[in-house]
């Protein structure tokens, strides 16, 4: 795997979904970048469903637990929430898990 995160963002033509394709190793520390990108996509188009595609990444257990928690509850970590638009609706963030 790549040592740094690489993220590509694709918006569907109907603008109802953004797909963040992640490569590299996702840790609890660098996963904050993903939360910021999710928040920015949602701020650009409120109500947008964000799909976090981790199939080409490796993810630590702690990072995955945090991402799943955010997906289920719609809440983002505290430092991200204080930035304008830091909340999501539950299930507005979907995750494609990495391969086992």
């Amino acid at each position: 795997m790549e040592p740094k995160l690489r993220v590509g963002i694709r918006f569907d033509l109907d603008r109802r979904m953004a797909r963040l394709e992640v490569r590299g190793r996702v840790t609890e520390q660098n996963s904050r970048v993903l939360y910021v990108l999710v928040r920015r996509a949602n701020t650009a188009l409120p109500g947008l469903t964000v799909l976090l595609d981790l199939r080409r990444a490796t993810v630590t257990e702690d990072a995955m637990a945090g991402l799943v928690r955010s997906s289920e509850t719609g809440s983002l970590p505290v430092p991200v929430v204080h930035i304008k638009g830091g909340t999501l609706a539950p299930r507005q963030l979907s995750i494609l898990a990495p391969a086992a």
Side-chain angles (χ1 to χ4, degrees), residues 28-94:
E28 190 173 14
Q29 291 78 23
N30 69 12
S31 65
R32 293 176 187 173
V33 171
L34 300 178
Y35 291 116
V36 170
L37 291 173
V38 167
R39 182 201 48 84
R40 285 184 181 174
N42 183 262
T43 301
L45 296 164
L48 190 71
T49 297
V50 180
L51 177 63
L52 190 58
D53 186 346
L54 300 172
R55 294 179 296 176
R56 294 185 177 181
T58 57
V59 185
T60 64
E61 287 183 33
D62 292 339
M64 192 65 180
L67 292 166
V68 168
R69 185 172 40 257
S70 290
S71 172
E72 292 172 350
T73 65
S75 63
L76 299 175
V78 173
V80 177
V81 171
H82 290 304
I83 301 169
K84 182 181 175 185
T87 59
L88 301 169
R91 299 289 180 192
Q92 193 173 358
L93 171 64
S94 299

